[in-house]
Every structure is written in structure tokens, then in C-alpha cells.
Amino acid sequence: MIIALDGPAASGKGTLARRLAAKYRLPHLDTGLLYRATAHALLEAGDRLEDEARAVAAARGLGLTDFDEGKLRGRVMGEAASVVAAIPAVRAALLDAQRSFASRPGGAVLDGRDIGTVICPKADVKIFVVASSETRANRRALELAGQGEKVDYAAVLEDIKTRDTRDSSRSAAPLLKAVDAVSLDTTALDVEGAFAAAVAIVESRRAI
Ligand code: DC
């Protein structure tokens, strides 16, 4: 079974993907990490995020498991990832690795922005996770504070809105609900409530 979760920044899709992977004993790929790691490699090398040739080389050089999440999770890298993710050639360079992860025997859980639309258009279950921007900013601010980052709520909200606009308006694989995806609005749900709702969606799709 392939489960595809897409949604905007801090919608809760990452937590849901991890929990669903554990429940159904499937491998999980957080595809945002691929774009974050690509951006990180460019910044480390002193290259511009818009340098297509360097960005493609960085994307091609990635493994799927060797992520130093501590370096990739922060606010700056999220924003930088959104910039490199808008380059079509970078997306193309990361396509095969994501598809081969998804085609593992038994299936997989992938979360990102274009899993249900581009990476796994035939996924068995597609969930489009949304939440209000204020709720997402609150969650992201709490998460960053937990990681020891100094947090300015207004700046986090601004970041989220900027990323939403860039991720949704780019021409290459924009954030979009697949026609056959089920929407899950987590605004009024806690982690357990959102997980229960996601499991209900998986079970209802499996029953078809
Ligand atoms: O999910 P995240 O916040 O870690 O993603 C970081 C950025 O990477 C996000 O702003 C857009 C980009 N991204 C993408 O374009 N496609 C994906 N499948 C996953 C992430």
C-alpha cells in the first residue's frame, strides 16, 4: 500500500506520515528533507540557491537516508528549500529516487507537496492535509522553540505565508490537491484526533 500525504508547511503531514508508517509497518520518506538537504549543500558550498547547475548536482548527490535532520529542520532551511524546489530541473533530478522508494515491495508512506499529483499518481491512499495559517504558525513556533531556536511568532507566520505562496504558485509541480485525494483539516484537531482521522481515511480507501 502506498500512502501519499501532501499539504502546506506545518499542516501536520509529517507527524501523520510517521505515525501511519509505524501503524502499517511501512517505510517513510519525508520528501521535504530532499529539498532541504539540496539547499543545505548549496549554502555550505557558498553557492546561490538559484544556481540551477549546482542545485541539480547537489540534488543528484543525495542519498535517501543520510540526512542530518538537526541541520535541516530550522526556519532558514525551510525557506531555502522552497526556493530550490521551484527549479524544475531540481525536481526532475529527485523524481526517480522518490518513485523507487515508493515502489518498494509492500509499499511506503511519502509526504510532501506533489506526492499524490506527480510522484505517486496511483497511490492507494492520498490525503491532503490542511490547517489555517495561524494554527500552522503556532505549531511551527512551538516546534522551533523546542529545538532551541529563538522564535518570533509574527516572523514564523510571515514565513508560512511566503512559503504557501511560492509552493502553490510555482509552475513545476505546485502544491495542489489531487482530484482523488481526501482532505483532512487539522485546524481543530490535536495530534491524536488528526491521527484517528487519517487512519479512518486509510481504512475507508482500503475497503474500496
Ligand atoms: O515539508 P517541508 O517544510 O520540509 O518542505 C520544505 C520545502 O520543500 C517546501 O517549502 C517546498 C519543498 N517541497 C516540495 O516542493 N515538494 C515536496 N514534495 C516536498 C517539499
Side-chain angles (χ1 to χ4, degrees), residues 13 31-32 35-36 78 81-82 85 91 112-114 163 167 170:
K13 64 187 186 311
T31 63
Y35 296 94
R36 287 172 182 259
S82 166
R91 307 198 71 82
R113 302 290 186 291
D114 61 342
R163 274 222 271 158
D167 294 346
R170 68 183 179 218

Side-chain angles (χ1 to χ4, degrees), residues 1-5 12-28 108-111 125-127 129 184 194-203:
M1 170 170 66
I2 298 178
I3 303 178
L5 291 113
K13 64 187 186 311
T15 306
L16 287 175
R18 265 191 307 280
R19 298 270 313 256
L20 289 172
K23 178 173 170 66
Y24 293 104
R25 296 177 195 276
L26 294 169
H28 166 223
V109 179
L110 288 85
D111 73 277
V125 183
K126 297 183 186 178
I127 306 179
V129 189
L184 172 54
F195 179 58
V199 169
I201 293 170
V202 173
E203 293 301 324

Side-chain angles (χ1 to χ4, degrees), residues 5-10 13-14 30-36 72-73 77-86 91 98 111-115 119 140 163-164 166-167 170 172-175:
L5 291 113
D6 290 300
K13 64 187 186 311
D30 171 350
T31 63
L33 283 176
L34 300 173
Y35 296 94
R36 287 172 182 259
L72 301 180
R73 285 283 172 212
M77 219 48 73
E79 176 61 21
S82 166
V83 174
V84 297
R91 307 198 71 82
Q98 295 176 81
D111 73 277
R113 302 290 186 291
D114 61 342
I115 309 303
I119 306 294
R140 188 44 58 88
R163 274 222 271 158
D164 282 356
R166 192 185 300 109
D167 294 346
R170 68 183 179 218
L175 170 65

